[in-house]
Amino acid sequence: MRARILGAGIVGLAVAAELRRRGHEVTVIDPAPGSGASFAAAGMLSPSAELWHGEAALLELGRESLALWPDLADALGVPLHATGTLLVGHDAGDRQQVARQVALLERHGAAVEWREEGVALLPDEASVDARAVVAALLDRVPVVPADPGGHHDVTVLATGAWLPPPYSSMVRGVRGEILRLRSDDPPRRTVRGWVYGEPVYLVPRPTGEVVVGATSEEHDAAPVVTAGGVARLLAAARLLWPALDRAELVEAVARDRPGTPDNLPLVGPVADGVVLAAGHYRHGVLLAPLTARLVADHLETGAVRAPLDPRRLLEGAR
Ligand code: GLY
């Protein structure tokens, strides 16, 4: 099969790599590979820490995809940081929030270990440097800036928070601002915290870099870093991990997460010869390997996962 993939973020590239692995011909088109949401992503492989009420289907998908990550990371030569996630609450209300999250996770059978009041460990979670993953995929999958034309059997739209007409209304941008700091005393594992009611996370890399994220804002303008967003993230992160006071602030980035009306990704056919691999919202890095498999399986067998079938939203899009 000859596939044309629009979008060289982590999802489009993972789909391309999987199709090539299965012997298909692939052309990936993107004028700025890896520059969208993948560029900002902290790389949390956190189906449980990122779980929210009413999102049980996402938890199952996340667990399934998390199980695929060790092999993918191995194949790409990118280290997986598999030390778990610590849930931490700062004040009494935040500690209650941790307790609510733990209760939600226990109802869904997730592995959770209480450490002390307001602190719990999710031992199965991990993280990965999303930029390193994209770089490794780009080494394996050539990308062209514009459509060279020629015959293709299918087009896969993996353009993240922006889909071309008539599918544009199926995704919306949810701005996230994220900081990168370099610390001489980083946390050992991902910290998922609440500080005075505001969520924040710290994702350490083996190099001493700590990714602090993220704001979340519905908006329809270009994503820019705001003074208020940076101030809130730094204040919350320093309260959870005071050593960050000494850290070098290396970078602040804002990108749009590709949100969907039901927070579930769009993976499957929307028209003859058109397949979506988009709308991964807060979970693009986590769900990339599963999405790659599902798209390849669909192209080979016609199989579609019902909860992810984009046609559920098609009437709305029209
Ligand atoms: N999964 C992290 C975020 O969306 O901010």
Side-chain angles (χ1 to χ4, degrees):
M1 185 172 283
R2 286 193 180 158
R4 179 176 76 145
I5 299 180
L6 307 190
I10 196 164
V11 170
L13 290 169
V15 170
E18 178 67 10
L19 289 175
R20 283 167 62 105
R21 195 182 68 79
R22 297 191 191 191
H24 303 290
E25 276 183 43
V26 178
T27 304
V28 187
I29 303 157
D30 194 326
S35 65
S38 307
F39 187 70
M44 299 166 77
L45 306 180
S46 290
S48 295
E50 291 281 79
L51 176 67
W52 194 234
H53 298 271
E55 293 187 346
L58 263 180
L59 177 65
E60 289 310 319
L61 292 164
R63 284 173 174 162
E64 194 179 343
S65 202
L66 178 60
L68 302 175
W69 258 105
D71 280 351
L72 178 60
D74 203 41
L76 295 176
V78 174
L80 204 64
H81 198 57
T83 47
T85 301
L86 212 55
L87 301 180
V88 180
H90 179 64
D91 71 5
D94 300 323
R95 290 193 288 276
Q96 279 175 7
Q97 175 57 43
V98 172
R100 277 196 293 275
Q101 187 76 13
V102 168
L104 177 67
L105 290 170
E106 284 174 340
R107 279 203 297 281
H108 289 291
V112 190
E113 297 167 13
W114 273 113
R115 290 293 162 107
E116 58 188 86
E117 197 214 340
V119 182
L121 176 67
L122 310 176
D124 298 339
E125 300 207 334
S127 67
V128 71
D129 182 340
R131 291 182 183 176
V133 173
V134 167
L137 284 165
L138 285 171
D139 279 348
R140 288 158 178 79
V141 179
V143 178
V144 293
D147 193 343
H151 167 78
H152 51 267
D153 301 297
V154 65
T155 296
V156 179
L157 300 176
T159 46
W162 176 88
L163 284 175
Y167 312 114
S168 319
S169 67
M170 296 167 90
V171 288
R172 69 186 195 287
V174 182
R175 179 171 64 190
E177 293 152 280
I178 203 147
L179 310 176
R180 284 182 159 72
L181 296 94
R182 192 166 298 120
S183 171
D184 59 5
D185 184 13
R188 273 194 57 231
R189 49 172 64 96
T190 296
V191 178
R192 181 46 144 145
W194 286 268
V195 177
Y196 303 129
E198 290 291 324
V200 64
Y201 53 76
L202 283 60
V203 182
R205 307 262 188 254
T207 55
E209 184 179 85
V210 182
V211 184
V212 175
T215 59
S216 188
E217 195 188 338
E218 302 281 342
H219 76 128
D220 50 14
V224 296
V225 177
T226 64
V230 173
R232 283 196 300 279
L233 288 174
L234 282 179
R238 286 167 62 211
L239 281 171
L240 285 185
W241 200 259
L244 286 183
D245 219 32
R246 296 190 302 275
E248 179 188 352
L249 177 56
V250 179
E251 188 182 353
V253 169
R255 289 291 186 274
D256 280 334
R257 300 178 184 86
T260 63
D262 56 11
N263 292 348
L264 280 166
L266 308 165
V267 183
V270 271
D272 268 357
V274 184
V275 169
L276 297 192
H280 288 72
Y281 189 35
R282 302 182 67 89
H283 310 280
V285 178
L286 173 63
L287 296 179
L290 179 63
T291 302
R293 276 201 185 185
L294 294 179
V295 170
D297 288 350
H298 170 69
L299 297 185
E300 291 178 347
T301 71
V304 183
R305 285 282 178 97
L308 306 185
D309 190 334
R311 291 170 293 191
R312 72 191 187 277
L313 303 179
L314 213 46
E315 283 311 310
R318 282 187 185 126

